[in-house]
Amino acid sequence: MSVPADWPTDESTALAEQQRLRPLVSATGPAPAAGALVAGVDVAYDDERDVVAAAAVLLDYTTLEVVEQATAVGPVAFPYLPGLLAFREIPAVLEALDGLTVEPDLVVCDGYGLAHPRRLGLASHLGVRTGLRTIGVAKNPFTFTYGLPGAERGSWTPLVDAGEEVGRAVRTRQGVKPVFVSVGHRIGLDEAVAATLALTPSFRLPETTRRADTLCRQALAAAVR
DNA sequence: GCGACAG
DNA sequence: ATCTTGTCGC
């Protein structure tokens, strides 16, 4: 894997890059159609050895069967800094996505999109960078506020930041802690939530995320051994 | 000023 | 993210 030549290496450059990309995000667009190809992406690290592994897994939106998958391994491109996660994950993710032979109709990211201090989380950043439709599905509420959604699958509450709805806390499984969904790029919030539920028939997290998580860990282990 | 803080 | 086995329960 190779990090883009102009990739930021310091915080102030990264912040300036977010400021530049932020106006390019679109928060409107359809949910995937039946039979669409949806990709899940995730990344695993071994900071001690300066190794990162990314995975992209393509699923059929209707059957949830795996259509194809790809991985990429390389050096860690950026340190973890809250609010700048995209700079750490995107180089590896881009290369894993390049390994797919078909362009996905939607990419599901492990993290946030517009729900971000400067409204440019990982999913939105990746969307603008690639032009692909993206959403973010996170496991933690980050710095945002939300009310607990009803216990039944499908219920949700607004995820709020500075008095603004930036995403939703969505119950994907009865009685299980909600996931936090936000728009990435070229899709609406209602549609992002609908897609999340469609991709989550049995567990708390979308099948896309679960498949990509397993695969990137596997790729990391193989690279480090 | 201090702490909290997606993965 | 990561350190980490078996085990309780549907």
Side-chain angles (χ1 to χ4, degrees), chain A residues 26-169:
Chain A
S26 161
T28 304
L37 296 175
V38 182
V41 293
D42 196 15
V43 177
Y45 301 91
D46 184 332
D47 282 295
E48 302 252 317
R49 302 187 187 186
D50 190 38
V51 179
V52 56
V57 180
L58 198 59
L59 305 190
D60 180 300
Y61 186 65
T62 301
T63 65
L64 302 186
E65 307 259 308
V66 176
V67 174
E68 66 172 308
Q69 52 185 40
T71 60
V73 174
V76 178
F78 203 85
Y80 172 68
L81 298 176
L84 298 177
L85 179 65
F87 295 94
R88 181 168 167 81
E89 308 222 326
I90 284 181
V93 167
L94 286 177
E95 190 149 319
L97 284 171
D98 273 346
L100 299 177
T101 65
V102 188
E103 182 164 284
D105 296 302
L106 174 72
V107 180
V108 180
C109 297
D110 200 1
Y112 283 111
L114 284 179
H116 179 274
R118 295 170 294 281
R119 304 293 180 267
L120 195 81
L122 167 64
S124 297
H125 193 146
L126 180 68
V128 169
R129 189 85 196 192
T130 60
L132 297 171
R133 204 180 299 288
T134 62
I135 66 173
V137 180
K139 300 181 287 296
N140 298 294
F142 200 15
T143 60
F144 311 118
T145 305
Y146 69 100
L148 286 178
E152 65 283 12
R153 170 180 152 83
S155 64
W156 56 267
T157 55
L159 185 65
V160 177
D161 182 38
E164 171 181 356
E165 180 182 42
V166 293
R168 287 176 188 163

